[in-house]
Every structure is written in C-alpha cells, then in structure tokens.
Amino acid sequence: MYNFKMSILKNDQGWVRTVALAPPTLQDNTADADRLTGALKIELKTDAVYISFDLLKKLPDLLRKWNYNISCILFKDLNQWILVNITAAENPGPVSGLAVDLGTSRVVLRLLDLLTGNILAESSFDNPQASIGPDVLARIHYAGSEKGLQELNDLIIDGLNQNIVKLCRSGKLNPEQIYLLSVAGNTAMTHLFMGLKPDWIIREPYIPVVNRPGILKAKELKIKVNHLARVVIFPNIGSYFGGDLIAGILFSGINETDDTAILVDVGTNAEVVLGNKNWLIACAGAAGPALEGGVTRMGMMAGPGVIEKIDIDPATGNYKIETIGNLPPKGICGSGVIDLAAGLFNSGMLDIRGKLVPSACGGRIKEKDGIKQLVVVPAKDSGTGTELTISQADFDSLIRSKAAMYTILETIAASVEMSLQELAAFYVGGTFGSFINPESAITIGMLPDLPLASYKPLGNSSLEGASMVLSSRKRLEEIDKIRDKITYLELNVNQDFMNRFSAAKFLPHTNKSLFPSKMPP
Amino acid sequence: MYNFKMSILKNDQGWVRTVALAPPTLQDNTADADRLTGALKIELKTDAVYISFDLLKKLPDLLRKWNYNISCILFKDLNQWILVNITAAENPGPVSGLAVDLGTSRVVLRLLDLLTGNILAESSFDNPQASIGPDVLARIHYAGSEKGLQELNDLIIDGLNQNIVKLCRSGKLNPEQIYLLSVAGNTAMTHLFMGLKPDWIIREPYIPVVNRPGILKAKELKIKVNHLARVVIFPNIGSYFGGDLIAGILFSGINETDDTAILVDVGTNAEVVLGNKNWLIACAGAAGPALEGGVTRMGMMAGPGVIEKIDIDPATGNYKIETIGNLPPKGICGSGVIDLAAGLFNSGMLDIRGKLVPSACGGRIKEKDGIKQLVVVPAKDSGTGTELTISQADFDSLIRSKAAMYTILETIAASVEMSLQELAAFYVGGTFGSFINPESAITIGMLPDLPLASYKPLGNSSLEGASMVLSSRKRLEEIDKIRDKITYLELNVNQDFMNRFSAAKFLPHTNKSLFPSKMPP
C-alpha cells in the first residue's frame, strides 16, 4: 500500500489544548466560563468559543477541582470553536477519538489517541442494516415504511455502540474517554446514521436532506461515548457523491497537488475525482448496469480462502494461485478475476472480445446449459471440495465493467480536455483498490496505460480521511473546502458515451495506441 | 412614566424572515438544509446559519408541504445565526416571543407578536423561590444543600411553565407558538433559572459560573413552549451587576446618547450606571447596611391601600394622603416616606438632622419605649383600624439610606471627575423609580438638585429591555456591546466615602449650595 505520511500531531494542530487560567481574584472577577473562553480566544486566535449548556453546569466544580489547570478538548463548526469537554491538565487520562468508515456493507472503526495521533485499536463489523437489504436502494425503500427509518437507524447505532464497547476493551479504555468522532460514509448511509429521511435521495431530482451536517452531539445520535462528545459527519456533494469520497480526496491529497491526478473509488458504488489544488471534478454512480453488476459485485467478495491473485504462464499454461490467508481456494474475488482475464488474454485463451478460446485452454473448458465454463481450480485442490469455475457470462460481465470503468475515466478526462495519459498519479481507493493488480487491469484495458508507479492504492481511504480530521484542525477545515471546490459532472449515457463504451469493450481497447505497453514489440 | 418609543418592527429588524426558495431540479440538486441556509446567508448577509439537528429531521417534509415558501424564525448567537424553526409563509399563525423579567420577588411576563412587535398579553407572579428564602443570599445558601439547587430550579421553571399556560390562554394562543424567549434577571436569579451552581457568587472573590450565557434551548431549560424555541439570557457584569441592569441600560438608551446621563435602579439591590455612547461606568450593591435596610425595604412595600403620596400644607399642617387604589390607608411605602419626610422638613416638623420637632407637629407625636412616633393616620381614618405611625428610628434609617444613595451617586460621578449637576438626564428604574416623587427626594437630598424634567422613571426597565431584544436583532447585539463597554467600579467604603456620607446625612445636605432650588430665596 502506498505509504502516506500521517501528519505528525503537534499541539497547535490538534484538538486538545492545555490552558493554565489565572484563578479569579477580587480585581479579576470574570466568570468561570468567560475566563475560560477568554483564554481560549487568545490561544486559538478566534472571537467565538462555544460552551455547551451541559458542560457549563459542570464547569465551576471542575475548574476548582483542577485548580484552573485544564486540558480542553475542542472541535470546530462553521465560524465557531466548540469546547467539547475539559480534563485535568496533569494526568488527563486517555483522550481519544473514533474514526468511522460507515460502509454500506462493512463498518470500520479506528480508535485514536487525540494527544499523540497514535492508533489505539481497530475493528470492523458488517453493517447490521444488511438484514433489511443488501444495498442502499433496498434500505431507502424500507425507510419509507412505518417505523422503517427508526429501525434502520437503531440497527446501525446499536451496532456501533456494541462494537465501540468491544473496541474500547481491546484499546484498554472506556467509551467515556472518546470525545470526538468522525464519520465518513455515502450520502444514504450518513442519512440513515443520523435518522434523516432518505426518501428524496433516490427520487428525481435526487435531493439529500443535508449536504453539510457539520458537528452534532453524540448524545443526539444516541452514540454511547463521552456524554459531551461531538461527531463530525463528512459532507456530501449530492445523493450520489458522499462523505466517504470527500474523506478519500482528503487522504489522497489530490486537492493539494500541482499536477492533475485522478482518484477512483470502487466500493458499493463507483466514484471518480479528477483534479489538482486548483480544481476538482467528480462523477459517480451507476454508469449503466454493467458497472453495477460487475466491478461492484466482485469488489465485495474478498475473504479468507478467496483467490486474490492468479498468474498464468503463457508457455506452460500453468496457473499460479494466491489466496487470502493462503488457504485452499474457495472462490475468486474481483482482483483475481482481473488477473485471470489478463493471464488468459496474454496466453491467447481469451480473445480480444473477451471470449474463451477452448482450443487454447488445455482441457479446462466445460459446457453447462450451453454456456462455457473455465475450471480455475479442480475439485481436488479446492477448499470447498468441488471445482471452482468461472463462466463466459462472468467474463462478459467483466468486459462490460471494465469498459464502463474506462469510459467513465475517459469521459471525465475529456470534460477538461485531458487525456488519461497525462495524469500524474492514479489513486485507487476502496477494497477493490487495495487488491487490484494494476498491470492486469491495464492488460485488459480497465485502467489506462500509465507507468505502474503512478498507481497508488489508498486502502480504506474513507477511514484514513476520517482519522485525519481527528488529528488536525486544518484537515477538518479542508473537508468543507474540498466540498465547495468540487464540480459535479452528471454522467449522461449519451451517444458519445456509448461510442466510447463500445470501443472499450475490447481487450485492451479498439484503439491499441492507448495501450502502448501492451502492444507487441 | 417617561414615554419611550418602542422601535417600530420592520422586517429587516425582526427575527422572522420570509423566504421563497427555488424548488430543487436536476440542475440544482443542493440538499434541503443547504438550500435553505444558502438563501438565508444571502438574505442576512452572513456566512454562518446554523440549523439544529431537531429541525433538520423535520425539514424535508415541511419544505415540501409548504412548497418551499416559508417563514423562518431566527435568532443570533456569537458569530452565527440560528434557524430556530420554520412555518408556512402564508398564514403562518401566531409567531410569538416571551419577555421575562426574572425578579427575586416577582416575575413579570410579556407575550409579544414577533411579526408586529405588538404586546399580546402580560402577567406576573411571585417568584416561587420565595418559599425557600426571601432574598438572594438565603436561596444561594439553600442551593448548596442536597438537591437544593434542583429544587430552586424546579420552583422557578414550574412557576414559569404554569404562568405561560395562563398567559397564552389570555393571549389566545398556544405555548407551542412561543419561539423566542428573553430573560433578564440579576446574576443569582439567572443562575438559579439555568440550574447553575450559584455557590461562588456570594463567596470571595464573587465569581459567577458565566457572564454571558448567550442563547440556550428552551428544552434544555425545561421550559414548555415550542419544542425548538430558544432563550436568550441577558449577560451579567459580575455577581452584583446582573442582566436586569443590562436590560435597563438598553431600555434607557444611555449607551447611545452624546450627553452623559445616569441610571439608578433600586429593587432588591441598588445599582447605578453613569455614561454615554462612549463609556459606561457602573457600581452596584450593598453600600453599607443603611441602604440595604432602608431604601431597599421601602421600595418593596407598595401594594393596595399603601400610602404612596403625602403632601403637607406648611401653613395648616394638614396632610393630603394618596393611597394605591384609593383605599383607606394601610401602610406607607418608600415613596410615601420620602414625601412625608420632605413635607415635614418643609414645614419645620423635621430638623436638618432628620429629627422630629415635637413642638411643630401639632399633637401628632407620641412616645413609645423612649422612641418618638409620628401619627400619620389616626385610627378612625386607617384601613387597618389602628393608627399608622412612623418612628424616629424609621426616619433615622431613611436618613442613612438617602445619605448612602447620594454618596454613591457623588462617588461614581467623582470617579469620572464630574459633578452630579452636570447630568443631562436621570433615569430611575425599578419599582422605587416608578413611584418616587423627585421633588421630595431632592428636598431631603436623596437625589441631586437637577431640573425636575431631567428625572425620567423607567418603569419595569428589565421587562422593557427584555422585550426590545425580541423585536430587533440590533438590540440583541447591543446587549453584548453594553456589557463589554461597562467599567465596573468597586465601591470602597473608605474615608473619602465616609466623609461624603457624613455630609449627606443632613437635610438636604451640609453643603447647601448643592441644592440651590431648596435654599431660602
């Protein structure tokens, strides 16, 4: 994985500030709250520091208990700082934050030390809303039913609360010691997380309740952490471009570079951002059924025993297979399918249309219900006891997916009159991005023919972005700037798009000059 | 009463703004909340409009129900506007605010139409905390006992809630139609109102929990009005200079005049503010036991049948008595005692030391336990069936009070090297100010010898000031400016003060040149 340097947490970057207040005297009888905000205003160079009513009630006792030497846990919203809570300046105990990647399928948690920026613990769990429906659409429809929204909201909040308890146990702290949370997810997931009606997200003209939820109280969301904790929810651009992507952009840093780069995130949905420090252009979503049923499904299959890498020796036709956990193979995930297709294509076993060439496959082809099947792993080597096959239909689906992907990339680049070959860097996010072999993806023409070093997998960029705002005030401010900078490109599946799509349905492409490294020498 | 013109409510001054939003389209898919705040940011020329999470949850349905034509009820805190709630733009129904004068003894409520600024209804009730203790000190001590603070808080909040229901009934609306509240009270009362620990208000160095409570949620305070309503609590300068005085300054307008004026408020406590549009200087509180036991007590005695005016004919020695409600006299209040002392002094019945002159009093003098008593009303004319008397001790107390008052006024004026004679206007607030006859007060040397037209009673300036911020955004901003502008003068009862005090213990004063209008022609 591409090695991003996490910005080192300095006191003046982070959310915790230690303040030694002059105790009150007859000559200086400023009230407790105003004494504290006065000091913070100077310290933070601001004219607005807000203290919640709940904190105000505890303030006089705490200030006196700690002799006016305190650590302040702060957060920032709109034009004002929020004093979230205070602890003793000496031996404050753990002061932690929780970054949440709120995935449609899987939720990933990371506990961070707010003083050092160190990772204390990580865990993940399946989004419990999957019991209602596997995808966004099903859940939004269910939210429209009687108490449906409440049920969906309860599922994710309860799931989160249970997992926070476990995570804290492994991090050896108490949920009460979590003061700040940061949540990045797609627009629908964040709406369900907040209990906001998602009905209009999926109905024309596709309007979220809110683009910029800002800072909320954990208590309002029923999240069981410190009773004064605050939650930042990443903003979205619209119904189909969510906070997870904003987090990804933040983590990739493409919003800060001189050279134009691209960020592609393929999770449950597919999103693309192109830009540099001056401009960002984005498009997202379902570019036809190909991408929906293809890349998307494959990207979700990774798990123990699943084939993630395949190498085929063109000379011998032998398969070299790597599985997750080095277990006997049980299935094949997206990156494995792409490797397989690339290997087959290089060996002449798949033609330029993506059709299996039985004569070249050395007895691995079977036919079932009139559809060709390639035996990837014979029964004797399989982890399931039965042979693992992949059908022509799967390859057809892959071809549509890769063509859709390439077409989206071409379209967004063309919208700013660039070619994909001009890109300085290509960031690949999501689970897909973590496992994909760029060489294979280039071979089949799914990704453009850039130098391999240009490809930078981001890993869980949503989680990383969410973590960053917990370590740095500048990063939190950055997410609104990113949001405001993005121009959203509506992908019109028009004739131009369909022409590009048709040309991209060959391996690697009808126009071979786009893939010079894959041309015969 | 001095006739202040209430600023006429214009749309661009008030808290209710009507907005017609462009409904969303595919080309303009901004989220509901951001669409609304975007329009408000332009309308209000601001870059920060906050929508509470509770309102956010209702927003999508309400916007669509009213076809994006809405009235917005706003309030302002620190650097951001708060969108409190929304109603239909057409036929919004009553949109009202509640001004509260949170007195130690009595609480006065005024219901206002936020659209027109009209007064809809008024009422008042005894502060139910009086069951715990009559004064601030007793209540604060009780607040330190187990559950004492909660009990005191419950008393005032329950009392308020009950009286809001009654008031709304008389104003023909529902508490749900109250969206904004404004509360002015002294520092201790506002702390008890908020449930904030008042312990350190009365303990050296006399520190409130908060000087500037700002805008709170009515729900947080358990006030039963609109569930999204907000409450502004007037800021204080310190433990002994509360929000009621800030409200009084706002209402008097001395913070906006070129000429220097003075504002004196004598309620449970005595406070003085001197200043103009450039500066304000204030002092407050208990200037020795004289003022505490004297003016203060008298100022609280007004009620039906109580003598509020007395005129003595120097030629005949006849008393002309006026009572509250024109009932047979039952007692005498502060203003009545001052009238009486002035009349007696003018008739030679009270000497320059404030001692009764029996030979001049025409048989009205009795002696009881060695103390002279003046019969003000014989038993046959009295409303109680027994004669009403006033003792030499009462006059001694009055002399101490009037001397203390004059000394405080002199001291604060001297601190800015002014004489009291230079004052352009003299505002008198509180119940005391409403009834006092300035001519009598000048005669005994309690108030300086200014032209009578300079004296302007303010009535319930706390309630008026509280009302003003509900009608005008500028007024709300003004209260913080007033607070920040005030220099607080600690009244040191030093030798200089005691010298002034001694000189002021004569009628009208040792230095008769200070009272030219009272000098023999």
Side-chain angles (χ1 to χ4, degrees):
Chain A
M1 187 167 309
Y2 182 66
N3 183 22
F4 282 87
K5 264 183 287 183
M6 191 77 177
S7 61
I8 290 144
L9 194 67
K10 288 188 201 138
N11 188 35
D12 65 346
Q13 288 182 341
W15 294 113
V16 185
R17 300 297 275 256
T18 297
V19 185
L21 297 175
T25 63
L26 274 175
Q27 285 67 46
D28 172 16
N29 64 352
T30 303
D32 291 329
D34 304 75
R35 179 172 302 273
L36 179 52
T37 53
L40 288 171
K41 282 177 189 177
I42 294 168
E43 175 86 4
L44 303 168
K45 298 183 183 64
T46 180
D47 57 354
V49 178
Y50 172 81
I51 298 186
S52 70
F53 187 54
D54 288 328
L55 177 56
L56 190 62
K57 285 192 258 190
K58 308 190 311 172
L59 203 59
D61 284 351
L62 292 180
L63 286 181
R64 284 164 183 80
K65 177 174 159 193
W66 294 323
N67 204 23
Y68 293 90
N69 288 315
I70 54 165
S71 280
C72 298
I73 299 135
L74 296 146
F75 227 18
K76 202 174 176 200
D77 195 9
L78 292 173
N79 289 18
Q80 71 184 13
W81 287 82
I82 299 164
L83 179 60
V84 176
N85 207 340
I86 62 173
T87 65
E90 284 175 45
N91 306 317
V95 178
S96 66
L98 182 71
V100 180
D101 164 32
L102 186 68
T104 305
S105 316
R106 194 130 182 105
V107 179
V108 190
L109 306 180
R110 175 184 285 173
L111 206 53
L112 291 161
D113 184 325
L114 292 178
L115 293 163
T116 62
N118 292 340
I119 296 174
L120 301 175
E122 277 189 13
S123 71
S124 65
F125 60 100
D126 287 334
N127 189 326
Q129 294 171 340
S131 63
I132 301 293
D135 56 32
V136 165
L137 212 62
R139 296 184 203 169
I140 292 181
H141 281 305
Y142 188 80
S145 67
E146 168 110 16
K147 293 192 180 165
L149 175 57
Q150 188 59 54
E151 193 181 330
L152 283 159
N153 182 245
D154 288 347
L155 279 169
I156 183 63
I157 298 298
D158 292 348
L160 183 65
N161 283 333
Q162 287 162 21
N163 281 278
I164 286 173
V165 170
K166 287 187 215 159
L167 182 69
C168 283
R169 208 173 291 144
S170 77
K172 294 193 172 53
L173 47 77
N174 190 299
E176 263 294 313
Q177 292 162 326
I178 299 175
Y179 295 90
L180 304 181
L181 290 91
S182 153
V183 178
N186 66 46
T187 307
M189 285 308 109
T190 51
H191 273 56
L192 295 177
F193 181 75
M194 290 186 276
L196 297 179
K197 213 166 170 172
D199 300 31
W200 289 281
I201 287 179
I202 53 162
R203 290 178 174 86
E204 204 179 313
Y206 314 112
I207 307 300
V209 175
V210 62
N211 290 135
R212 192 199 176 285
I215 311 284
L216 300 171
K217 290 180 179 170
K219 214 168 65 173
E220 278 179 329
L221 296 169
K222 301 196 176 62
I223 303 174
K224 291 175 186 160
V225 287
N226 187 276
H227 65 294
L228 294 177
R230 299 279 176 152
V231 185
V232 63
I233 300 194
F234 272 67
N236 62 69
I237 307 287
S239 292
Y240 292 107
F241 197 98
D244 47 350
L245 263 284
I246 305 277
I249 294 169
L250 179 72
F251 180 57
S252 75
I254 66 168
N255 58 308
E256 289 180 343
T257 59
D258 290 316
D259 295 330
T260 303
I262 202 164
L263 162 60
V264 176
D265 196 302
V266 185
T268 305
N269 223 324
E271 290 108 351
V272 179
V273 183
L274 179 73
N276 53 44
K277 67 175 181 187
N278 296 313
W279 52 266
L280 292 168
I281 186 162
C283 65
L291 198 63
E292 271 184 48
V295 172
T296 302
R297 185 173 59 84
M298 291 193 299
M300 291 168 60
M301 288 166 55
V306 165
I307 298 169
E308 51 169 349
K309 272 204 171 85
I310 302 184
D311 202 34
I312 301 177
D313 185 333
T316 63
N318 284 345
Y319 288 28
K320 195 180 147 205
I321 287 175
E322 287 179 31
T323 62
I324 297 173
N326 283 321
L327 298 168
K330 294 205 284 199
I332 185 163
C333 73
S335 62
V337 175
I338 292 167
D339 270 1
L340 178 62
L344 293 171
F345 179 63
N346 283 337
S347 311
M349 299 170 185
L350 211 56
D351 69 15
I352 59 164
R353 299 167 307 152
K355 300 294 177 193
L356 287 161
V357 182
S359 61
C361 288
R364 285 183 179 254
I365 301 292
K366 296 191 170 180
E367 196 144 334
K368 197 176 160 190
D369 302 334
I371 297 169
K372 289 192 188 72
Q373 310 272 340
L374 174 77
V375 178
V376 182
V377 181
K380 68 177 173 58
D381 300 329
S382 152
T384 62
T386 57
E387 62 187 12
L388 301 182
T389 63
I390 183 163
S391 74
Q392 181 62 53
D394 292 326
F395 286 113
D396 292 348
S397 168
L398 172 68
I399 299 300
R400 280 195 304 274
S401 292
K402 80 99 187 170
M405 169 68 90
Y406 193 80
T407 306
I408 291 172
L409 298 176
E410 258 197 333
T411 302
I412 192 167
S415 78
V416 290
E417 297 182 349
M418 280 185 76
S419 79
L420 291 169
Q421 282 64 33
E422 292 173 65
L423 295 173
F426 198 114
Y427 297 99
V428 198
T431 41
F432 174 76
S434 306
F435 296 102
I436 198 171
N437 178 351
E439 171 122 46
S440 300
I442 295 168
T443 300
I444 64 164
M446 182 175 220
L447 296 180
D449 191 6
L450 295 169
L452 289 181
S454 308
Y455 283 96
K456 295 169 184 180
L458 291 174
N460 188 340
S461 57
S462 175
L463 182 69
E464 297 294 346
S467 302
M468 284 168 85
V469 302
L470 292 180
S471 321
S472 158
R473 290 148 35 194
K474 242 191 86 197
R475 297 303 183 186
L476 183 63
E477 286 167 21
E478 200 61 39
I479 64 177
D480 284 326
K481 289 186 197 157
I482 291 172
R483 204 204 89 80
D484 294 343
K485 205 194 272 180
I486 293 175
T487 305
Y488 189 76
L489 179 73
E490 197 67 49
L491 272 185
N492 293 313
V493 182
N494 53 20
Q495 193 55 49
D496 182 54
F497 186 92
M498 288 314 295
N499 288 348
R500 289 181 191 277
F501 183 58
S502 295
K505 273 163 79 179
F506 289 80
L507 302 186
H509 196 274
T510 323
N511 180 359
K512 288 199 162 53
S513 74
L514 292 172
F515 290 83
S517 78
K518 302 301 162 198
M519 278 170 42
Chain B
M1 189 168 305
Y2 182 67
N3 183 23
F4 282 87
K5 264 184 287 181
M6 191 75 175
S7 61
I8 291 146
L9 194 66
K10 288 188 205 140
N11 188 34
D12 65 345
Q13 288 182 342
W15 294 114
V16 185
R17 298 297 275 261
T18 297
V19 186
L21 298 174
T25 62
L26 272 175
Q27 285 68 46
D28 171 16
N29 65 352
T30 303
D32 290 329
D34 305 76
R35 179 172 302 270
L36 179 51
T37 54
L40 287 171
K41 282 177 189 176
I42 294 168
E43 176 87 4
L44 303 169
K45 298 181 183 66
T46 180
D47 57 355
V49 178
Y50 171 81
I51 298 186
S52 71
F53 186 55
D54 288 328
L55 177 56
L56 191 62
K57 284 191 258 192
K58 308 190 311 171
L59 203 59
D61 285 350
L62 292 180
L63 286 181
R64 284 165 182 79
K65 176 173 158 193
W66 294 323
N67 204 20
Y68 293 89
N69 287 313
I70 53 165
S71 280
C72 298
I73 299 135
L74 296 148
F75 226 17
K76 202 174 176 201
D77 196 10
L78 292 173
N79 289 15
Q80 69 183 15
W81 287 82
I82 299 165
L83 179 59
V84 176
N85 207 340
I86 62 173
T87 65
E90 282 175 44
N91 306 317
V95 178
S96 66
L98 182 71
V100 180
D101 164 32
L102 188 68
T104 306
S105 316
R106 196 135 182 98
V107 180
V108 190
L109 307 180
R110 176 184 284 173
L111 205 53
L112 292 160
D113 183 324
L114 291 178
L115 292 162
T116 62
N118 292 340
I119 296 174
L120 301 174
E122 277 190 14
S123 71
S124 66
F125 61 100
D126 287 334
N127 189 326
Q129 293 172 340
S131 63
I132 301 294
D135 56 32
V136 164
L137 212 63
R139 296 184 203 169
I140 292 181
H141 281 304
Y142 188 81
S145 67
E146 168 111 16
K147 293 191 180 167
L149 175 57
Q150 188 60 54
E151 193 180 331
L152 283 159
N153 183 245
D154 289 348
L155 278 169
I156 183 63
I157 298 297
D158 292 349
L160 184 65
N161 284 333
Q162 287 163 21
N163 282 277
I164 286 173
V165 171
K166 286 187 215 161
L167 183 68
C168 284
R169 209 173 289 142
S170 77
K172 294 193 172 51
L173 47 78
N174 190 298
E176 263 293 313
Q177 291 161 327
I178 298 175
Y179 295 90
L180 304 181
L181 290 92
S182 153
V183 178
N186 67 47
T187 306
M189 285 308 108
T190 51
H191 273 58
L192 295 176
F193 181 76
M194 290 186 277
L196 297 179
K197 213 166 171 174
D199 300 31
W200 289 282
I201 286 180
I202 54 162
R203 291 180 173 84
E204 202 176 314
Y206 313 113
I207 307 298
V209 175
V210 62
N211 290 135
R212 193 199 174 285
I215 310 284
L216 300 170
K217 291 180 179 170
K219 214 168 65 173
E220 278 179 329
L221 296 168
K222 301 195 177 61
I223 302 173
K224 291 175 185 160
V225 286
N226 187 276
H227 66 293
L228 294 176
R230 298 281 177 150
V231 185
V232 62
I233 300 194
F234 272 68
N236 63 68
I237 307 288
S239 292
Y240 292 107
F241 197 98
D244 47 350
L245 263 285
I246 305 277
I249 295 169
L250 179 70
F251 180 56
S252 75
I254 67 170
N255 58 308
E256 289 180 343
T257 59
D258 290 316
D259 296 329
T260 302
I262 201 163
L263 162 59
V264 176
D265 196 303
V266 185
T268 306
N269 223 322
E271 290 107 351
V272 179
V273 183
L274 179 73
N276 52 45
K277 67 177 182 187
N278 297 314
W279 52 265
L280 293 169
I281 185 162
C283 66
L291 198 63
E292 271 184 49
V295 173
T296 302
R297 183 174 59 86
M298 290 192 299
M300 291 168 60
M301 288 165 56
V306 164
I307 299 169
E308 54 168 349
K309 272 206 169 82
I310 303 183
D311 202 34
I312 300 177
D313 185 333
T316 63
N318 284 344
Y319 288 27
K320 195 181 146 203
I321 287 175
E322 285 179 32
T323 61
I324 296 174
N326 283 321
L327 298 169
K330 294 204 287 199
I332 185 162
C333 75
S335 62
V337 174
I338 291 167
D339 269 1
L340 179 62
L344 293 170
F345 179 63
N346 282 338
S347 311
M349 299 167 184
L350 212 57
D351 69 16
I352 59 164
R353 298 167 307 151
K355 299 297 177 191
L356 287 161
V357 182
S359 61
C361 288
R364 282 182 180 257
I365 302 293
K366 294 188 167 182
E367 197 144 333
K368 196 178 161 189
D369 301 333
I371 296 170
K372 289 192 189 73
Q373 311 271 339
L374 174 77
V375 178
V376 182
V377 180
K380 71 179 170 60
D381 298 331
S382 152
T384 61
T386 58
E387 61 187 13
L388 300 182
T389 64
I390 184 163
S391 75
Q392 182 60 55
D394 292 327
F395 285 115
D396 292 347
S397 168
L398 172 68
I399 299 299
R400 282 195 304 275
S401 292
K402 80 98 187 172
M405 170 67 90
Y406 192 80
T407 306
I408 292 171
L409 297 177
E410 257 196 334
T411 303
I412 194 168
S415 78
V416 290
E417 297 183 348
M418 277 184 79
S419 79
L420 291 170
Q421 282 65 34
E422 293 172 65
L423 294 173
F426 198 113
Y427 297 98
V428 197
T431 41
F432 175 75
S434 304
F435 295 103
I436 198 171
N437 177 351
E439 170 123 47
S440 300
I442 295 170
T443 300
I444 65 165
M446 181 175 220
L447 296 179
D449 192 6
L450 296 170
L452 289 181
S454 309
Y455 282 96
K456 294 167 186 183
L458 292 174
N460 189 337
S461 57
S462 176
L463 182 68
E464 297 294 345
S467 302
M468 283 168 85
V469 302
L470 293 180
S471 320
S472 158
R473 289 148 36 192
K474 241 191 85 194
R475 298 303 183 186
L476 183 63
E477 285 167 22
E478 198 62 36
I479 64 177
D480 283 326
K481 288 186 197 157
I482 291 172
R483 205 204 89 78
D484 294 343
K485 204 195 272 180
I486 293 176
T487 305
Y488 189 76
L489 178 73
E490 197 66 49
L491 271 186
N492 292 314
V493 182
N494 54 19
Q495 194 54 50
D496 183 54
F497 187 92
M498 289 314 295
N499 288 347
R500 288 181 193 278
F501 183 59
S502 296
K505 274 165 77 179
F506 290 81
L507 302 187
H509 196 274
T510 323
N511 180 358
K512 286 198 166 51
S513 73
L514 292 172
F515 289 83
S517 78
K518 303 302 164 196
M519 281 174 38

